[in-house]
Each structure stands twice: as structure tokens, then as C-alpha cells.
């Protein structure tokens, strides 16, 4: 993974875990970690696949994501291993931890919130919203932010409304923001490079969603 921090900052800061898209570790999550560092956080972009595995086409990406999520215990262990790297850093205030993810990564951080991990806040960017293990009432500790594209076929309206109903039933503190005309992958400037018509970068949605996340983290984590 990649650990990012601002060398000019003094004292412990909140930490944020960054989980990659289904393509695997790439410049996109690494850049998000750097942007978080510029905003006053220490960020760790972790590798959920292991050994830096990265796919260049949807078939390979689907296989990597399927292998990584086959066993929920492995998902939890890998996420917690990344958290351990983050919280072990002397620049991090381990009592203030958040997580973000895009696409596959958005699904992962939502699953961690559903599992009741001790996180202050999670933000899912164009993440997969369906789950096999809905959160029971009272289990979600994190404040949850879902940032989704209204034109994302991987998070259709019924999935968004299903997620809303799940969070209400779970009595979670959550917010959903939908961006008109935004497709899947709207935060990734290289989204079009994979040749999928369902996936496209949207500069406005990228800017607005990042601002939403910073607002949440400012309130939930401080600086």
C-alpha cells in the first residue's frame, strides 16, 4: 500500500483508509490518499488483492474481486491489516479513523460499516450497494456517506432505495447524494480507458463528492 502524510503538519492527525476499485491498486487510490494528506489526514491506500495485482479488463477485474471477497473473514482480516499499518504510524491519532472506497472499494467500506467496525465515518464513491449481510439494528457505528451516480447501472435506483431502507432499519447515521447524469467511476480521470460505456469520469461529480466527503470527515474526525 501507499501511506501519505503532510510533513509540515505537527502532531497526531486522523487516519483514513483508502480502498481501491475492482481494477486493483492504481494511481487513482494513491492520488486520493495524497489529496487526503493535503487536507490534514494521514491516509493509507491498502491492497485488498495482495502483491499489487491489477486488472486491465472487466473479466480479470471480476475474477480478482470475486477471489478477494469469497471469504468474509479474509476481507475483514485484510482490511484490519491495512488499519493496523495506518494506526501504527506515529503521525496518526488511532482514536479517529475513517475509510473511503470507490466501486469495489466503496462496497468494502460499506461492508465494514455493516459489520460494526469501530470507524468514525465511511464514504463510498460509486460503490456497489447490495449486500448479502444487511446491518442489524444498532450495529453500524460509523457515519455513512454514499456518493452515487444517477446514471450508474451498477447502483440503479432500486439498489439505492434498498440501501436507504436498510440503513433506516439499522438506525444508522447516513446520507446519500446522487449526481445527475454521472456514471460509474465518476471520480476516476482514467475511467474511460477500460472501454466500458457504463464507466466515465465526471469532473463536477468528482469535485462535489470530494467536498461532501471532506465535510463529513471534518465533522466526524476533525483535523
Amino acid at each position: 500500500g501507499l501511506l501519505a502524510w503532510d510533513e509540515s503538519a505537527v502532531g497526531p492527525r486522523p487516519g483514513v483508509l483508502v480502498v481501491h476499485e475492482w481494477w486493483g491498486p492504481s494511481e487513482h487510490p494513491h492520488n486520493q490518499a495524497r489529496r487526503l494528506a493535503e487536507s490534514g489526514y494521514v491516509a493509507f491506500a491498502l491492497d485488498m488483492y495482495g502483491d499489487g495485482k491489477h486488472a486491465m479488463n472487466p473479466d480479470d477485474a471480476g475474477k480478482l474481486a470475486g477471489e478477494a471477497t469469497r471469504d468474509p473473514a479474509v476481507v475483514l482480516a485484510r482490511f484490519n491489516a491495512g488499519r493496523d499499518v495506518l494506526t501504527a504510524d506515529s503521525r496518526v491519532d488511532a482514536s479517529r479513523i475513517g475509510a473511503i472506497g470507490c466501486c469495489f472499494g466503496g462496497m468494502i467500506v460499506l461492508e465494514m460499516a455493516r459489520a460494526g467496525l469501530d470507524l468514525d465515518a465511511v464514504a463510498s464513491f460509486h460503490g456497489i450497494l447490495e449486500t448479502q449481510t444487511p446491518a442489524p439494528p444498532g450495529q453500524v457505528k460509523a457515519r455513512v456517506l454514499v456518493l452515487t451516480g444517477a446514471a450508474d447501472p451498477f447502483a440503479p435506483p432500486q439498489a439505492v432505495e434498498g440501501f436507504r431502507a436498510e440503513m433506516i432499519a439499522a438506525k444508522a447515521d447516513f446520507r446519500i447524494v446522487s449526481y445527475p447524469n454521472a456514471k460509474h467511476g465518476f471520480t476516476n480521470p482514467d475511467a474511460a480507458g477500460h472501454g466500458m460505456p457504463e464507466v466515465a469520469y465526471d469532473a463536477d461529480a468528482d469535485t462535489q463528492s470530494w467536498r461532501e466527503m471532506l465535510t463529513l470527515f471534518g465533522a466526524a474526525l476533525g483535523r
Side-chain angles (χ1 to χ4, degrees):
L2 178 139
L3 188 69
W5 67 90
D6 180 356
E7 291 185 344
S8 67
V10 178
R13 284 143 273 171
V16 181
L17 291 160
V18 181
V19 188
H20 53 78
E21 296 171 289
W22 74 331
W23 309 112
S26 69
E27 273 304 295
H28 182 45
H30 291 176
N31 284 335
Q32 288 183 314
R34 295 183 186 105
R35 290 171 73 187
L36 283 160
E38 291 169 0
S39 295
Y41 302 95
V42 177
F44 182 60
L46 63 126
D47 178 1
M48 290 294 294
Y49 292 166
D51 299 322
K53 295 187 186 77
H54 184 83
M56 296 304 296
N57 62 73
D59 287 343
D60 288 343
K63 290 175 184 175
L64 286 174
E67 290 169 1
T69 57
R70 184 174 294 117
D71 185 345
V74 171
V75 175
L76 180 62
R78 289 181 179 178
F79 185 88
N80 279 333
R83 180 180 180 137
D84 289 345
V85 170
L86 180 66
T87 57
D89 191 276
S90 61
R91 290 167 283 255
V92 175
D93 177 352
S95 69
R96 296 184 290 162
I97 301 295
I100 71 170
C102 296
C103 176
F104 166 86
M107 176 191 73
I108 293 296
V109 301
L110 292 178
E111 288 295 290
M112 297 301 99
R114 287 177 171 115
L117 264 66
D118 188 17
L119 297 164
D120 292 289
V122 301
S124 168
F125 296 83
H126 45 88
I128 306 304
L129 304 178
E130 294 94 341
T131 184
Q132 298 298 314
T133 53
Q139 181 155 290
V140 179
K141 298 182 179 69
R143 294 174 63 174
V144 176
L145 176 63
V146 164
L147 305 153
T148 191
D152 184 348
F154 303 116
Q158 62 267 30
V160 175
E161 292 312 307
F163 179 81
R164 188 190 309 278
E166 179 197 353
M167 291 294 103
I168 291 172
K171 298 178 170 54
D173 182 342
F174 76 100
R175 173 174 162 79
I176 300 172
V177 182
S178 181
Y179 298 99
N181 304 315
K183 295 183 177 182
H184 193 70
F186 61 77
T187 65
N188 190 341
D190 298 322
H194 296 282
M196 296 177 65
E198 307 94 337
V199 180
Y201 179 63
D202 186 310
D204 288 341
D206 182 20
T207 299
Q208 293 170 31
S209 62
W210 192 259
R211 189 180 300 127
E212 289 278 358
M213 179 213 67
L214 289 178
T215 298
L216 170 65
F217 282 1
L221 303 178
R223 287 183 178 78

